[in-house]
Amino acid sequence: MDNRIHNFNPGPATLPLPVLKKIQSTFLNYQNTGMSITEISHRSKAFDDVINDAKARTLRLLKIDDTYEVLFVQGGASLQFSMIPMNLLPDSKKADYINTGTWSTKAIKEANILNKQVSVAGSSEDKNFSYIPKDLNLSPDAAYVHITSNNTIKGTQWHEFPDTNGVPIISDMSSDILSRPLDMKPFGLIYAGAQKNLGPAGVCMVIIRKDLLEKVPDNLPSMLKYTTYSNKNSLYNTPPCFAIYTVQLVLEWLEDTIGGLENIHDMNIKKANLIYNLMSDEGFYRGTADPKSRSLMNVTFRLPSEDLEKRFVAEALENGMGGLKGHRSVGGCRASIYNACEMKSIETLVDFMKSFEQKNG
Ligand SMILES: Cc1ncc(COP(=O)(O)O)c(C=O)c1O
């Protein structure tokens, strides 16, 4: 389809073209119901099949069994910053948080608003969050250790997870969920706003180990309680049906067309390396993240001047590549290359970067 651009948006982000086409072809009459998926009841068998298939595919992709529960919650990843301490951090306990940038800082802020005992057990703030800290001060009796597995704004990613000695890790995986194989054993809960690697905005996936559900206090508002979602198959109230349907199709694409997380990981490594290979400390393109902590999902870089950065983003757009401006809080440039970003988009970007450097370097 020639009128689609190469989309490097950080989120909402590009979706797999076969998924968009399937939505288009099923939009007016979903599975002979005579209705659109946006018009059918969330209590119908057709929608039940959607949600159950999405849950089953998630468990299969992560190679986990039903000791974990998959929930669909609204309020984005940002609501999870509050729900996690509300549900899983009793006042008698503390939680360790590792601060690796904007989103971890927000998670810490919300736990503090709730007057919970929060310990910042590691941070990379000293170097503007350009690396993943190894030096952690974890306590054995913490309720959980919270990390952000991929830092969308700073362009860093955890490549090995910390050894927490059995304390469950909780991870914000908004920008790298299902982008690589994951050993779920150390994780008590992972969560992700859908709009980067999973689907459209409007739904957040939460995968929680079932034993943690037993710790949820009774005296929380229903909509803020994980057990409300787990007891009702995420259908306590009207869920964002269209967003969940799209997530189901993305999961189907990942499992049946791509062939699972090992395959997508190989593709993601190849894609990221093509761009990172153009970067060096003294070069025209300078990566902002420490090379050992570089993200496979968000490639952040600077050019020799802000003026050149502006021209780079503008000329890229003229040439059919969008979304390359860095986050407004950090400036510079960023290519977000989630699962659905195709190799041909990366190759187009790399060719453009080479010719831009030749002209301006
Ligand atoms: C790592 C991370 N966590 C949390 C969020 C916030 O997500 P939401 O907008 O779904 O609340 C974002 C959004 O970009 C993110 O990248």
Side-chain angles (χ1 to χ4, degrees):
M1 260 185 228
D2 354 310
N3 56 353
R4 285 178 58 79
I5 64 167
H6 298 287
N7 182 348
F8 298 100
N9 274 328
T14 191
L15 286 168
L17 193 55
V19 167
L20 295 178
K21 284 186 173 163
K22 186 152 184 188
I23 291 170
Q24 192 178 41
S25 72
T26 60
F27 198 66
L28 295 184
N29 183 358
Y30 180 69
Q31 291 197 348
N32 286 326
T33 56
M35 296 176 276
S36 169
I37 187 77
T38 60
E39 299 172 309
I40 66 172
S41 166
H42 60 293
R43 307 272 172 223
S44 61
K45 158 116 179 39
F47 189 72
D48 231 28
D49 290 347
V50 167
I51 203 162
N52 290 336
D53 186 62
K55 288 172 63 170
R57 285 186 187 277
T58 304
L59 297 181
R60 281 203 299 273
L61 281 160
L62 285 166
K63 302 193 165 94
I64 48 179
D65 60 19
D66 62 4
T67 49
Y68 287 84
E69 183 70 42
V70 180
L71 313 175
F72 295 100
V73 185
Q74 297 191 56
S78 298
L79 183 63
Q80 294 310 306
F81 299 160
S82 308
M83 277 180 76
I84 289 161
M86 280 176 159
N87 283 265
L88 302 176
L89 185 51
D91 289 341
S92 58
K93 287 215 152 202
K94 74 168 183 171
D96 285 331
Y97 278 71
I98 320 281
N99 192 1
T100 52
T102 315
W103 300 111
S104 320
T105 305
K106 290 197 177 186
I108 292 166
K109 179 180 157 205
E110 295 302 316
N112 278 324
I113 288 174
L114 291 162
N115 267 328
K116 298 287 183 176
Q117 296 184 57
V118 170
S119 163
V120 179
S123 170
S124 50
E125 197 169 3
D126 59 336
K127 292 193 180 152
N128 197 20
F129 298 115
S130 58
Y131 69 103
I132 297 296
K134 290 272 173 290
D135 194 11
L136 308 177
N137 187 13
L138 300 172
S139 34
D141 55 351
Y144 58 80
V145 178
H146 183 281
I147 64 169
T148 311
S149 55
N150 186 74
N151 299 281
T152 325
I153 295 176
K154 307 289 180 182
T156 62
Q157 187 175 27
W158 289 79
H159 294 296
E160 274 165 41
F161 295 106
D163 180 0
T164 57
N165 247 320
V167 175
I169 303 179
I170 291 187
S171 181
D172 177 355
M173 295 199 175
S174 293
S175 46
D176 67 350
I177 192 162
L178 301 180
S179 66
R180 54 181 169 171
L182 183 70
D183 173 10
M184 276 291 283
K185 267 188 241 84
F187 292 91
L189 184 155
I190 65 176
Y191 63 101
Q195 64 273 18
K196 298 164 201 300
N197 256 330
L198 288 178
V203 67
C204 180
M205 183 185 270
V206 176
I207 306 172
I208 183 168
R209 223 173 56 204
K210 281 182 178 162
D211 61 293
L212 292 181
L213 290 168
E214 285 155 30
K215 299 188 190 295
V216 173
D218 287 332
N219 61 346
L220 288 178
S222 305
M223 287 300 287
L224 298 177
K225 243 166 136 167
Y226 288 129
T227 42
T228 302
Y229 296 83
S230 60
N231 290 339
K232 299 280 183 193
N233 206 25
S234 298
L235 291 163
Y236 167 75
N237 73 329
T238 319
C241 299
F242 181 68
I244 294 173
Y245 170 57
T246 309
V247 169
Q248 183 223 354
L249 294 183
V250 171
L251 296 168
E252 183 182 77
W253 166 83
L254 191 52
E255 193 177 16
D256 298 351
T257 306
I258 299 294
L261 301 187
E262 280 83 6
N263 290 1
I264 200 76
H265 189 218
D266 285 347
M267 292 158 78
N268 286 332
I269 292 172
K270 287 194 188 106
K271 280 162 28 185
N273 282 344
L274 276 183
I275 310 179
Y276 282 123
N277 283 343
L278 300 181
M279 290 178 199
S280 62
D281 283 350
E282 309 297 326
F284 187 76
Y285 298 108
R286 278 169 297 119
T288 60
D290 179 272
K292 286 197 281 304
S293 304
R294 280 174 171 169
S295 166
L296 295 180
M297 299 279 101
N298 307 97
V299 180
T300 50
F301 52 99
R302 306 289 322 216
L303 275 67
S305 71
E306 285 187 19
D307 181 51
L308 276 172
E309 288 169 352
K310 265 198 204 124
R311 278 170 43 206
F312 176 84
V313 172
E315 275 185 40
L317 191 57
E318 281 164 23
N319 285 281
M321 288 156 274
L324 289 163
K325 194 164 180 283
H327 190 267
R328 59 191 182 282
S329 64
V330 291
C333 299
R334 168 175 59 175
S336 297
I337 52 171
Y338 303 119
N339 288 352
C341 181
E342 291 180 16
M343 184 54 114
K344 72 169 186 288
S345 294
I346 308 289
E347 286 164 355
T348 309
L349 174 63
V350 165
D351 286 346
F352 171 73
M353 287 173 77
K354 285 181 185 161
S355 79
F356 191 86
E357 179 177 354
Q358 254 168 19
K359 272 193 263 160
N360 300 285

